[in-house]
Amino acid sequence: MKVVRVLNNNVVLAVDETGAEAILTGWGVGFQAKPGQPVKTDKVTRTFRPENDRDSDTLAQQLAALDPRFLAAADDALRAEFEDRGSATVVALADHLSVAAVRVAADAATAAQPHPLTAEVKHLYPAEYAAGERILAHVNKQLELDLPQVEAVAIAMHLVNAGFHTDGLAETYRMTGVFGQLFAIIDTSFDIELDRQSISAARFITHMRYFFVRVSEGRQLNEGMSVLKDSLQLSHPQAVTCASRLASILELRLGAPLTDDEVSYLALHVARLVGEHHAAQ
């Protein structure tokens, strides 16, 4: 590989023999390096490649701006959890952890206050939350820190966000808040309390996560599933009514009308959620 750009002594943008660009990090990898020179491969400890058509220079600048200790800890922790950790996720997590460490150093009591979405994250994303707890423990041990348990929630949100390949957490936070509202409406409609960690709940959450993606891309389901709608109206009329309420909330929150097919699939998931709940009683 050859050096394309030196960001600092520890980060360089390089290109391999196929023309593919990568960002290489390691103590001294950029020291006295010049564009066009071979990369000091013995200095390289980590290799990052931009994904989803992201710009290599931007990723390189982001990596160069990070504290190397937090970058290493974030990358190691994510590698322990996932086969493909994703460069953008490493950057986002490393940046978050470094800021969290500053907050704890400034005011540990305030930094440890509960996250407003703790309950929603634990219920809606149990796998990501469990991974967040393990990543937090890994980082605390590697960096000899004492980041509070509440950071597992924020880490989980980054993991959820990674599944949608977006640049910020705003959409993930909004999505999580909407999910909590939808479950509350179903609970109220049927006078029950759904198990957010049930199989049907997991399926509903997965469906809704991809629904958000479809809406953002302007391609809702529209396959003419009138048979499904008619069948549900006969067999599960209360679920259809509840789905209409959910659809109204989603249209209000997302600013886009739902297709009949999307509402029908909402009703199907509501029927499954309520059916599983009653079967478990």
Side-chain angles (χ1 to χ4, degrees):
M1 299 186 80
K2 292 185 177 181
V3 175
V4 173
R5 179 182 178 187
V6 178
L7 281 299
N8 59 36
N9 285 343
N10 306 314
V11 180
V12 300
L13 175 61
V15 62
D16 63 22
E17 58 278 2
T18 69
E21 294 184 337
I23 298 89
L24 311 176
T25 68
W27 294 108
V29 69
F31 181 66
Q32 295 185 337
K34 303 293 182 183
Q37 291 181 344
V39 170
K40 303 171 187 175
T41 55
D42 61 318
K43 300 290 187 180
V44 177
T45 56
R46 301 173 198 280
T47 300
F48 299 92
R49 296 184 185 274
E51 60 270 318
N52 303 313
D53 298 321
R54 286 191 168 99
D55 178 59
S56 299
D57 284 281
T58 299
L59 177 60
Q61 290 169 4
Q62 291 173 332
L63 288 165
L66 292 169
D67 184 322
R69 297 177 306 123
F70 285 94
L71 177 61
D75 193 36
D76 291 343
L78 287 169
R79 281 178 183 273
E81 291 291 328
F82 307 103
E83 212 171 295
D84 180 14
R85 81 266 196 227
S87 298
T89 306
V90 176
V91 169
L93 180 59
D95 182 61
H96 173 82
L97 293 171
S98 63
V99 172
V102 172
R103 287 200 307 267
V104 170
D107 190 341
T110 299
Q113 289 182 352
H115 193 290
L117 291 176
T118 296
E120 286 86 347
V121 170
K122 285 184 176 180
H123 285 140
L124 298 175
Y125 314 121
E128 287 87 349
Y129 181 73
E133 289 188 305
R134 293 190 295 270
I135 289 171
L136 176 62
H138 184 120
V139 170
N140 274 336
K141 181 177 180 180
Q142 183 167 329
L143 297 181
E144 298 182 342
L145 294 172
D146 191 23
L147 299 181
Q149 185 65 24
V150 68
E151 289 302 327
V153 177
I155 293 171
M157 295 294 281
H158 280 287
L159 300 181
V160 173
N161 189 63
F164 293 93
H165 307 296
T166 56
D167 293 319
L169 284 172
E171 185 66 9
T172 302
Y173 276 109
R174 180 173 70 140
M175 181 175 62
T176 302
V178 172
F179 288 173
Q181 186 177 10
L182 297 183
F183 273 110
I185 290 172
I186 299 172
D187 285 350
T188 302
S189 297
F190 292 87
D191 194 23
I192 58 177
E193 185 174 348
L194 293 171
D195 179 2
R196 270 58 164 175
Q197 298 186 39
S198 68
I199 294 175
S200 291
R203 288 173 177 166
F204 178 59
I205 292 167
T206 298
H207 174 82
M208 293 307 303
R209 285 166 72 167
Y210 286 102
F211 164 77
F212 267 68
V213 174
R214 290 195 298 275
V215 170
S216 68
E217 297 176 351
R219 53 175 187 86
Q220 293 185 48
L221 296 175
N222 193 16
E223 303 163 352
M225 293 293 290
S226 58
V227 174
L228 174 60
K229 180 180 180 181
D230 294 342
S231 176
L232 288 168
Q233 186 63 61
L234 290 172
S235 60
H236 298 87
Q238 195 174 355
V240 173
T241 300
C242 180
S244 295
R245 293 182 64 193
L246 300 182
S248 296
I249 293 298
L250 289 169
E251 289 175 350
L252 184 64
R253 298 291 294 267
L254 302 180
L258 271 64
T259 63
D260 287 344
D261 281 4
E262 292 288 4
V263 180
S264 294
Y265 279 110
L266 280 175
L268 179 61
H269 279 286
V270 170
R272 286 175 174 170
L273 284 163
V274 176
E276 181 178 11
H277 171 81
H278 288 313
Q281 299 307 301

